[in-house]
Amino acid sequence: MSVLGKIVRTGRVAEPAPPAPGVGAGRGCDSSPAAPLASSVQLRHVDAGSCNGCELEIASAFGPVYDAERYGLRLVASPRHADALLVTGPVTRNMADPLRATYEATPRPKRVVAVGDCARNCGVFAGGYGVEGAVSDVVPVDVEVPGCPPAPHVLIAALRGLTGR
Amino acid sequence: MTGSAVTVGALAAVTAQLVLVVGGAPLLAGLMRQVRARLEGRVGAGVGQPWRDLRKQLGKEAIRPDGSSWVFTAAPRVLLASTLLIAAVAPFLSTVSPLDGVADLFAVVALLLLGTVALAVAGLDTGTAFGGMGASREITVAALAEPTILLAGFALSARVGSSNLAALVEGMLTAPGQVLSPASLLAAVAFAVVVVAETGRLPVDNPATHLELTMIHEAMVLEYAGRDLALVELASALRLTVLLGLGANLFLPWGVATTASPLPLLGAAMLFAVKVVAFGAALAAFEVFMAKWRLFRVPELLAGSFLFGLLAVSASFFLA
């Protein structure tokens, strides 16, 4: 029953939603209202060699404070269920093929979101012996989210461009 | 009233029931997620989110894994069709139905099991480790849960002398005192545990998990995409609604129409919606306080609910 007390005392912890960016705010999105992914986007997260900084920010974006689920976003367990891939980290040699396979396993229409500076241009890992390249060297990227790591509100603003909510 | 007029009214009742259940099932799933979100301090995606997800998934391509056969393609259709049939024949709104002969306890349990087996076989058909693991777990749970549904039903049917669901509901309506009888209460507890297990809710299975090793239902459907996934998700929402509806009408039958005329049907539809929404919200709130149980504790839970079912049957014979 201590949980009940906690629920009553805490109430709502989600921050008020910033104004909607509108469909098409992110690059690579269809701006018509009947966009295939409007108001519902399932995301599959792929760690292609990240330092786990971006993972912490993704986890907090889907936590109670930022509550990304209210914009129609949801993390799913399989690329077959996904509409968009959240790729973090520079693509390491061992993860290049799994990333391609994940991209192939995602049903069309699909989007790829490169999360963090490493995913965009390899960041501090550029030129490393185990690094194959940035995400866009392996699969086509539609939306890029800058930051090392990107703050949850930046990540959510980019993802809201996909759902338009 | 002539015979054909009764049939037309009854057909309209079946159609209304089917529309209500199919239209409401994703809303019920959305409502349950919304209740959980609010209790967890979140805002939530809104009650209509499952419908938005379904609309989008129906417009996506259905990728089928290499090496999978027609079994994989057929399973979601079999699952959805068997669940739709239950949604059409069960006495949710009215005890008068042209499909009365199918609304039998055994037929309904067999149809539920048909859907479960279809999906389990499809999980094996994908040839992935998680598909096979999910199928084996689902069948383990189903083998323990399905007999309990039958037993809980027997406890009610022993009094009425029929296994027809409409007759069970009518028997309960004519003797309202039976609702609080030991047999009904024990059967209701057994049935509630089975609903939790059959629909893959906490503490048996976590519908929101991302961790493949803990999955039961989700592990079987990992390979479904696009349209096929939409069918599977609609069918799981329907199963939840159908089982909650059966529980609501078998153990709290008030409001079910005994004729096929429009006014009682309207009242029955509203009361049915209220009952199912209340049960769904209670189930979602209960989940907030629960953690998922270790898999090997689940048979203990189901054996406990089987015992409740057995006691209910004994009580209905000896205390009646």
Side-chain angles (χ1 to χ4, degrees):
Chain A
M1 282 304 102
S2 63
V3 179
L4 188 62
K6 181 108 181 145
I7 289 172
V8 174
R9 274 197 313 278
T10 311
R12 177 171 146 174
V13 294
E15 290 182 347
V23 177
R27 196 159 61 82
C29 307
D30 192 338
S31 58
S32 70
L37 305 181
S39 73
S40 161
V41 173
Q42 262 93 316
L43 300 155
R44 175 65 187 162
H45 170 230
V46 181
D47 180 342
S50 165
C51 69
N52 271 348
C54 295
E55 277 67 28
L56 286 174
E57 304 301 320
I58 290 173
S60 67
F62 283 87
V65 175
Y66 293 96
D67 191 21
E69 269 191 35
R70 68 180 125 169
Y71 310 118
L73 302 161
R74 196 151 59 88
L75 288 173
V76 293
S78 165
R80 302 259 193 229
H81 300 185
D83 309 301
L85 300 176
L86 280 183
V87 190
T88 55
V91 183
T92 56
R93 292 195 193 286
N94 283 336
M95 279 305 289
D97 278 338
L99 178 59
R100 281 189 204 101
T102 309
Y103 183 75
E104 290 307 317
T106 311
R108 272 179 294 270
K110 55 187 162 189
R111 303 280 183 265
V112 176
V113 186
V115 179
D117 286 342
C118 296
R120 294 171 64 222
N121 54 23
C122 297
V124 294
F125 299 108
Y129 68 90
V131 174
E132 181 103 357
V135 174
S136 55
D137 299 332
V138 182
V139 292
V141 170
D142 299 290
V143 182
E144 294 186 337
V145 187
C148 182
H153 66 88
V154 177
L155 179 65
I156 287 177
L159 293 177
R160 285 177 79 183
L162 289 177
T163 63
R165 281 174 79 189
Chain B
M1 206 186 279
T2 62
S4 69
V6 172
T7 318
V8 169
L11 274 178
V14 170
T15 315
Q17 171 172 324
L18 208 51
V19 169
L20 178 72
V21 173
V22 174
L27 294 179
L28 179 73
L31 177 93
M32 290 177 67
R33 277 194 219 158
Q34 195 67 17
V35 168
R36 287 201 61 164
R38 284 296 159 89
L39 291 178
E40 290 166 3
R42 294 186 289 121
V43 178
V47 174
Q49 188 61 33
W51 265 124
R52 288 192 279 271
D53 293 349
L54 285 176
R55 193 197 61 199
K56 176 207 66 191
Q57 280 160 358
L58 283 171
K60 295 197 67 165
E61 69 171 334
I63 298 183
R64 279 146 199 169
D66 292 338
S68 66
S69 66
W70 59 271
V71 174
F72 182 80
T73 322
R77 284 139 186 98
V78 172
L79 176 67
L80 185 63
S82 63
T83 318
L84 277 177
L85 190 55
I86 303 176
V89 302
F92 289 150
L93 301 189
S94 166
T95 52
V96 187
S97 166
L99 305 169
D100 199 39
V102 192
D104 190 88
L105 185 62
F106 290 94
V108 165
V109 172
L111 283 170
L112 277 176
L113 199 57
L114 178 68
T116 308
V117 170
L119 211 53
V121 172
L124 289 172
D125 189 52
T126 60
T128 63
F130 289 128
M133 188 191 71
S136 119
R137 289 177 178 181
E138 179 87 355
I139 291 299
T140 307
V141 171
L144 293 164
E146 302 282 353
T148 311
I149 303 190
L150 277 179
L151 268 188
F154 287 158
L156 305 181
S157 65
R159 265 198 316 261
V160 184
S162 161
S163 63
N164 184 291
L165 289 175
L168 294 188
V169 172
E170 265 179 356
M172 206 69 145
L173 277 174
T174 47
Q178 295 289 356
V179 170
L180 285 177
S181 71
S184 296
L185 291 177
L186 287 166
V189 172
F191 195 83
V193 176
V194 168
V195 169
V196 168
E198 271 286 295
T199 56
R201 315 295 306 190
L202 287 170
V204 175
D205 189 10
N206 183 358
T209 184
H210 302 146
L211 197 63
E212 291 90 347
L213 284 175
T214 68
M215 288 176 172
I216 299 180
H217 175 80
E218 291 290 312
M220 291 188 299
V221 304
L222 276 178
E223 292 291 329
Y224 281 109
R227 291 189 300 279
D228 291 343
L229 181 64
L231 297 184
V232 171
E233 301 228 315
L234 179 61
S236 354
L238 272 175
R239 274 171 88 94
L240 177 65
T241 314
V242 160
L243 280 168
L244 285 179
L246 274 180
N249 275 8
L250 285 179
F251 299 105
L252 292 173
W254 294 294
V256 180
T258 46
T259 61
S261 46
L263 207 60
L265 275 182
L266 192 67
M270 276 157 55
L271 256 173
F272 176 71
V274 168
K275 278 192 283 192
V276 170
V277 162
F279 279 156
L283 182 56
F286 166 75
E287 282 188 316
V288 173
F289 296 89
M290 294 299 297
K292 188 184 172 299
W293 280 9
R294 210 159 59 90
L295 191 69
F296 293 115
R297 278 186 72 190
V298 171
E300 291 173 27
L301 178 77
L302 293 172
S305 89
F306 186 81
L307 184 66
F308 271 102
L310 208 59
L311 288 173
V313 174
S314 324
S316 72
F317 274 107
F318 297 122
L319 302 180

